[in-house]
Amino acid sequence: MRWKPRVASRAKERANISFFIFIMFFAVFGVIVLTELLLLERPSPSSRLRFNEDAQGWEGRTETAGEGEGAPPPARAPLDAVWQPVAGTRFRFYVYSAYMERRTVAAVRVVAATKTRGADPVVCRLFMPDNRTITLKARVKPIRENWNLKYSATYVLCLLRDSGVKARDTVGAAISVVAAAAPNRPPTNLLTVLDTDPKSGIEETLHVCVKPFHYSYSRDEWLIEWFELNRLLGANHFYMYNESLSAPVSCLLEHYQKQGLVTLLPWKLPIVSKIEIRTEGQFAAFNDCLYRSMSSAGWLLVIDVDEVILPRRERTLTALLTALRAAYNPPSKAPSAFLFRNAFFYLRWEDDAEAPAPLVTARKTRRWAAPHAIKNRSKYALRPRDAVELGNHFVWELAPGASAVGVPTDRALLHHYRIACEYGGMQCLTVPSTVDRTAHRWAEELMQRVSAEKKQISKVCLAN
């Protein structure tokens, strides 16, 4: 009977050994997976361009790829406002547009999109009109409002220091962004360098910038009202980005394009919206709009197509902005950006019985009693020449010496005509509210303009 305990003991030993092997298997497997992840995210050790989130957003240790000197430019012509890939990078890297920069640093500033942290190092190849090819050091700087998603709107600064080229001389040249790890690879992108120097006589011009249209945007009737009200308020040009539009809105925008009122740019960024990058890469659009308007706009208004900014005393926004700056003495102390507080005008609230016209802005006059604080849902107008980096609700970076201030609600308010409540449901309709009929000041003239535009648009769009 003594054999029974020995058998039980051996069975227990085998069970312990099996459990130990099981644990060791998963431990080794976990180490392998962790090592693979670390190697995937870590920049190549051969590269000497290192991203660093310091107070400036990046550090400038770079490497110049001398092998590219004298290389001929690509056979095709340079493009503008088209997302083009950067070849040879480990992570997706796209470039959209390029601009002359000489306010903060002598450079070509490229609007791009790539990985938020640990972006691939790149260099820039500049093709000058005199047939010189110059390889420039580059700094990759993510635009700050990226919501900590994997990919971000980005600036690539192609630095002209030690190149012998002045910033002004780059206008009209072509530039490519190339992976530093493969500088001899033929470039897969070529951009035209655009001018940013302000032209004379633009001080009182007001241009409007909006984020990309997506989800086949289809509110054509409201868009006519929005256009015509902003034109009454002094806007004379609009920059828009097309990810997807309905057929009626496409026809409507074509109508305004023919009048010279709209610059409509394609926007097909191959990064997954809201999962990998903030809504359609909208911060790349805002900042492209900033530099695209810089040479021709005295003021740039950054709003969405469900928002308008209405002054309380003046008839136009240009008059308001002029008056706000004139209040500062000396004029050199006047702010370069003005922020407007947001108030929701929910479309689910009842119509105003005193509405003087069948317009959204005339019918929907009930709003939040207490507008949001500055930088929370606010929108803004600014001098483009004095801005470096734009966000959605405020300016992230101004040029040295420039400043931004909030505008009191007794001077102007951002009217936000929102369809749905903020977080679903109907709870937004129970917030304290008040009736605000400021929009009625423009209702009669606006109705006339909307009716006239609808007649013209219907003739063209119905015929198509």
Side-chain angles (χ1 to χ4, degrees):
M1 298 297 291
R2 292 181 181 177
W3 57 271
K4 289 184 178 180
R6 285 200 297 269
V7 171
S9 176
R10 288 173 184 169
K12 185 176 182 180
E13 287 176 2
R14 285 196 296 269
N16 288 339
I17 292 171
S18 298
F19 180 76
F20 177 78
I21 293 172
F22 179 81
I23 294 297
M24 287 300 297
F25 171 81
F26 278 98
V28 171
F29 180 79
V31 170
I32 292 172
V33 170
L34 181 61
T35 302
E36 288 293 320
L37 289 174
L38 290 174
L39 288 175
L40 179 65
E41 294 295 327
R42 184 177 298 167
S44 169
S46 64
S47 168
R48 288 189 290 166
L49 178 68
R50 183 173 64 83
F51 177 84
N52 180 32
E53 282 195 298
D54 58 12
Q56 299 300 318
W58 41 263
E59 80 170 359
R61 293 202 297 164
T62 57
E63 180 178 48
T64 302
E67 296 89 346
E69 300 294 345
R76 64 176 175 80
L79 302 174
D80 171 51
V82 176
W83 285 109
Q84 302 178 63
V86 176
T89 57
R90 293 169 304 131
F91 302 103
R92 279 170 287 172
F93 204 133
Y94 299 95
V95 295
Y96 186 76
S97 53
Y99 299 94
M100 183 267 286
E101 175 64 271
R102 62 177 178 177
R103 300 164 305 161
T104 57
V105 64
V108 174
R109 185 182 293 270
V110 176
V111 175
T114 190
K115 197 164 182 288
T116 305
R117 295 178 179 81
D120 290 273
V122 294
V123 294
C124 302
R125 194 163 294 152
L126 181 66
F127 303 100
M128 297 295 291
D130 60 5
N131 294 323
R132 284 184 297 159
T133 299
I134 303 168
T135 301
L136 305 173
K137 298 178 181 181
R139 290 173 175 172
V140 180
K141 178 185 181 298
I143 289 172
R144 276 164 276 205
E145 202 161 340
N146 51 58
W147 289 56
N148 289 320
L149 294 175
K150 183 176 181 179
Y151 285 88
S152 173
T154 304
Y155 283 137
V156 177
L157 286 173
C158 305
L159 303 172
L160 296 173
R161 184 178 61 244
D162 302 327
S163 70
V165 177
K166 295 181 180 179
R168 192 73 188 85
D169 297 334
T170 65
V171 175
I175 198 163
S176 287
V177 178
V178 182
N184 293 323
R185 177 177 291 202
T188 52
N189 59 82
L190 192 62
L191 301 166
T192 301
V193 182
L194 303 180
D195 196 2
T196 55
D197 272 350
K199 299 180 176 68
S200 61
I202 65 170
E203 291 300 313
E204 300 306 314
T205 57
L206 175 65
H207 292 184
V208 178
C209 174
V210 298
K211 67 185 181 184
F213 288 112
H214 57 284
Y215 297 152
S216 297
Y217 184 85
S218 60
R219 296 183 64 198
D220 53 319
E221 288 211 6
W222 158 251
L223 203 54
I224 297 172
E225 182 178 339
W226 181 87
F227 267 119
E228 295 309 315
L229 180 52
N230 276 291
R231 293 177 70 185
L232 282 175
L233 293 168
N236 56 12
H237 199 79
F238 301 82
Y239 300 89
M240 296 178 159
Y241 299 82
N242 175 19
E243 193 281 327
S244 58
L245 294 168
S246 69
V249 171
S250 293
C251 191
L252 163 65
L253 294 181
E254 185 178 349
H255 166 75
Y256 282 115
Q257 280 180 284
K258 290 177 180 177
Q259 297 181 50
L261 292 169
V262 170
T263 295
L264 182 63
L265 302 168
W267 194 261
K268 295 291 184 181
L269 176 59
I271 300 176
V272 182
S273 176
K274 296 186 179 180
I275 295 175
E276 295 182 313
I277 196 168
R278 184 60 181 165
T279 311
E280 307 303 332
Q282 65 182 33
F283 301 109
F286 290 147
N287 286 280
D288 175 78
C289 184
L290 167 65
Y291 288 89
R292 193 170 295 275
S293 68
M294 201 169 283
S295 65
S296 57
W299 289 100
L300 183 65
L301 182 64
V302 180
I303 56 174
D304 288 343
V305 290
D306 59 353
E307 301 169 337
V308 290
I309 296 172
L310 296 184
R312 293 306 195 245
R313 305 176 193 173
E314 291 80 7
R315 186 72 177 173
T316 66
L317 283 172
T318 46
L320 168 67
L321 294 168
T322 299
L324 290 173
R325 281 180 61 88
Y328 288 83
N329 192 17
S332 59
K333 297 294 184 181
S336 296
F338 293 98
L339 283 67
F340 300 90
R341 294 174 65 181
N342 171 84
F344 287 127
F345 289 68
Y346 291 119
L347 300 188
R348 292 184 178 182
W349 271 327
E350 75 283 358
D351 285 355
D352 190 337
E354 299 181 21
L359 300 165
V360 171
T361 51
R363 294 186 293 107
K364 299 300 178 181
T365 56
R366 183 167 295 281
R367 66 164 172 85
W368 276 29
H372 288 79
I374 289 295
K375 295 190 176 182
N376 179 11
R377 296 279 179 179
S378 57
K379 292 298 171 67
Y380 54 89
L382 75 153
R383 291 287 194 194
R385 70 194 69 177
D386 293 335
V388 177
E389 182 180 323
L390 302 186
N392 192 5
H393 302 297
F394 56 89
V395 182
W396 273 106
E397 184 180 349
L398 289 162
S403 62
V405 298
V407 177
T409 55
D410 65 345
R411 296 302 303 274
L413 188 66
L414 174 67
H415 291 217
H416 193 160
Y417 296 94
R418 195 174 181 89
I419 296 174
C421 293
E422 285 294 271
Y423 304 106
M426 302 288 286
Q427 68 274 20
C428 64
L429 305 185
T430 64
V431 299
S433 62
T434 186
V435 172
D436 182 341
R437 295 191 173 98
T438 303
H440 286 186
R441 295 173 56 201
W442 293 270
E444 184 177 347
E445 187 176 0
L446 178 59
M447 189 66 222
Q448 294 174 1
R449 296 183 67 139
V450 167
S451 298
E453 290 298 324
K454 281 184 176 180
K455 287 180 181 178
Q456 292 187 41
I457 292 167
S458 63
K459 291 177 183 178
V460 176
C461 295
L462 290 178
N464 293 339

